[in-house]
């Protein structure tokens, strides 16, 4: 008879063997805070124009060299459940505003660091959470009074550039004017009358070689491809788009053809050829100039395309096909049938161009308003162009934010210091224990100026004291002068360093919510991992035979 070993009393006897359980301040809360602090420390050094790059190699061994926190957290496979909450908050920020992910993670980490000190002093997590929520409420009340400018006309390039410069500066310091001009031009050209701006309408095409200053904006679409066939340019082109192959149609069912002599064989293949010719002739007769296919172009089809003077372009990506349909106003057809007028699209010029030593096909719309615009980036390495693309992505999202709410606040940590100053004063007026949490919230906001100073290589404490002195005198827009060699301050508005109001508002909301959620966790219960077969290794699975 097998000896029955009784389970330890308490939580262990309720759960399956192999389950893990952590509870209390030491085991759960401090552990979670420790993990989140480490995570925040990772992205702190990447904050601001002088932020350092991180080299991230993801699970499929793709290399990223970037200081963009959104990319870093997306490619890192974060395992710790509390750190995952921070990642979720940052991802929500990415969806809502498109920028400011680093702001959320750093603020959340700083709040938890302050909370740890208060917990060791004897405050309870609920008192600290209450204080943080109170401080957030006050900060959001003060924030509208710190608005210094507003983008009145979203179709004015100069006004839009004011809002875009700072978002670009944090990723590509020194190139912000040129890149924000490109983004402004691309975004304004696809901004619909009265409708909402869609970030997918601004596309990026990266072409190796030359330098960033040779980048340009094309109203329409650019593809790194060659044309099929001999025709390489069409002006005022009518475009028909097929999602199928431009080739002899295969029958839907498999059949057997019995051929008894040479004449039958000749007639059979000629019948297929005649059918294909009649299809392509019908497309040409419908008035089409350019045929875009979503799969291969057969040799016979190319022969007939050349015969009837049609230009052939092959796009392998369904995503590109959909975008092109949107850009030229066409409908993607699933079969090779003659298109109607409504199904065809239009472009002023479709031609083969050479950018550097790369052949590209350009669908250009010369009108003032196009449905899709493309920013062609030039650069020396793929990693550099990827980083510029991330900066452009942030800029396009900032433009979307401007179309929702054009208010701007002072950048260069001026807004954070002013909020910290007012929150410290507000904390002194609170009678309860939550005043300590309110003051820690102010310290967390003050940390952004310190991080900018540390990343630039100047003394952080000296800078913070100078900023506080200026703000006490009523200079609410005084921020950190990043170009000076010592810890000196400047007027952020005069220096044209302006942040989006929405970025600060949502950033503080998401960071505080994430910090309060993590603080309120007092038990971690991990069920036993499921057994069963191991998941297949990358590239190890056999393909099924048809």
């Amino acid at each position: 008879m097998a000896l029955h070993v009784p389970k330890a009393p308490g939580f262990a006897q309720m759960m399956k063997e192999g389950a893990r359980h952590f509870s209390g301040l030491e085991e759960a809360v401090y552990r979670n805070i420790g993990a989140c602090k480490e995570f925040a420390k990772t992205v702190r050094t990447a904050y601001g124009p002088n932020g350092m790059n991180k080299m991230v190699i993801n699970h499929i061994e793709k290399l990223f060299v970037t200081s963009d926190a959104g990319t870093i957290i997306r490619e890192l496979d974060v395992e710790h459940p509390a750190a995952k909450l921070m990642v979720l908050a940052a991802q929500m920020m990415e969806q809502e505003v498109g920028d400011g992910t680093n702001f959320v993670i750093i603020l959340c980490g700083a709040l938890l660091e302050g909370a740890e000190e208060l917990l060791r002093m004897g405050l309870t997590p609920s008192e600290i959470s209450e204080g943080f929520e109170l401080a957030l409420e006050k900060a959001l009340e003060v924030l509208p009074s710190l608005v210094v400018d507003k983008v009145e006309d979203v179709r004015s390039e100069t006004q839009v550039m004011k809002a875009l410069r700072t978002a670009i500066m944090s990723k590509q310091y020194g190139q912000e004017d040129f890149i924000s001009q490109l983004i402004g031009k691309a975004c304004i050209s696809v901004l619909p009358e009265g409708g909402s701006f869609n970030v997918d309408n601004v596309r990026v095409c990266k072409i190796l070689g030359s330098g960033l200053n040779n980048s340009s904006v094309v109203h329409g679409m650019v593809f790194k491809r060659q044309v099929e066939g001999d025709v390489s340019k069409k002006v005022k082109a009518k475009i028909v788009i097929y999602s199928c192959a431009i080739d002899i149609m295969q029958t839907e069912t498999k059949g057997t053809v019995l051929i008894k002599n040479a004449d039958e064989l000749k007639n059979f293949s000629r019948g297929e050829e005649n059918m294909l010719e009649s299809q392509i002739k019908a497309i040409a007769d419908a008035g089409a100039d350019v045929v875009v296919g979503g799969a291969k172009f057969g040799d016979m089809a190319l022969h007939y395309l050349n015969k009837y003077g049609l230009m052939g372009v092959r796009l392998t990506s369904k995503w590109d096909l959909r975008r092109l349909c949107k850009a030229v106003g066409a409908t993607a057809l699933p079969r090779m049938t003659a298109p109607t007028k409504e199904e065809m699209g239009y472009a002023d010029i479709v031609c083969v161009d050479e950018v550097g030593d790369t052949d590209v096909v350009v669908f250009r719309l010369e009108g003032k308003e196009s449905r899709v615009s493309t920013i062609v980036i030039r650069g020396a390495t793929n990693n550099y162009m990827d980083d510029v693309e991330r900066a452009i992505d942030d800029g396009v999202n900032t433009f979307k934010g401007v179309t929702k709410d054009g208010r701007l606040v002072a950048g260069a940590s001026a807004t954070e210091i002013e909020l910290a100053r007012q929150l410290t004063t507000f904390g002194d007026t609170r009678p309860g224990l939550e005043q300590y949490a309110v003051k820690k919230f102010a310290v967390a906001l003050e940390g952004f100026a310190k991080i900018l100073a540390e990343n630039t290589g100047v003394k952080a404490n000296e800078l913070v004291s100078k900023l506080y002195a200026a703000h006490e005198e009523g200079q609410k827009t005084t921020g950190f002068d990043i170009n000076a060699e010592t810890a000196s301050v400047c007027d952020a508005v005069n220096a044209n360093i302006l942040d989006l109001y929405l970025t600060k508002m949502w950033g503080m909301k998401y960071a505080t919510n994430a910090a309060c959620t993590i603080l309120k966790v007092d038990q971690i219960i991990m069920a036993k991992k499921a057994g069963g077969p191991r998941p297949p290794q990358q590239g190890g699975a056999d393909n099924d035979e048809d």
Side-chain angles (χ1 to χ4, degrees), residues 55-64 71 74-77:
M55 190 179 278
V56 180
I57 299 160
N58 70 1
H59 61 291
I60 53 170
E61 297 198 1
K62 189 180 175 191
L63 175 72
F64 295 85
T71 307
R74 200 180 307 119
E75 299 307 329
L76 285 175
D77 214 358

Side-chain angles (χ1 to χ4, degrees), residues 87-157:
V87 171
L88 288 170
Q91 284 171 346
M92 277 307 301
M93 184 70 181
E94 184 87 6
Q95 285 174 24
E96 188 68 47
V97 185
D99 190 17
T101 44
N102 211 341
F103 182 88
V104 172
I105 293 171
I106 291 170
L107 182 55
C108 185
L111 289 174
L112 290 171
E113 203 171 321
E116 186 179 13
E117 290 172 26
L118 295 177
L119 286 168
R120 295 195 189 280
M121 279 166 57
L123 270 74
T124 62
S126 56
E127 283 168 341
I128 298 167
S129 299
E130 198 180 309
F132 283 167
E133 279 159 9
L134 199 66
L136 173 67
E137 203 176 297
K138 179 67 179 172
L140 295 179
E141 190 186 303
V142 172
L143 194 60
S145 68
L146 302 181
V147 171
V148 292
D149 204 343
K150 189 175 184 184
V151 177
E152 300 289 349
D153 180 15
V154 288
R155 292 188 184 276
S156 160
E157 218 172 283

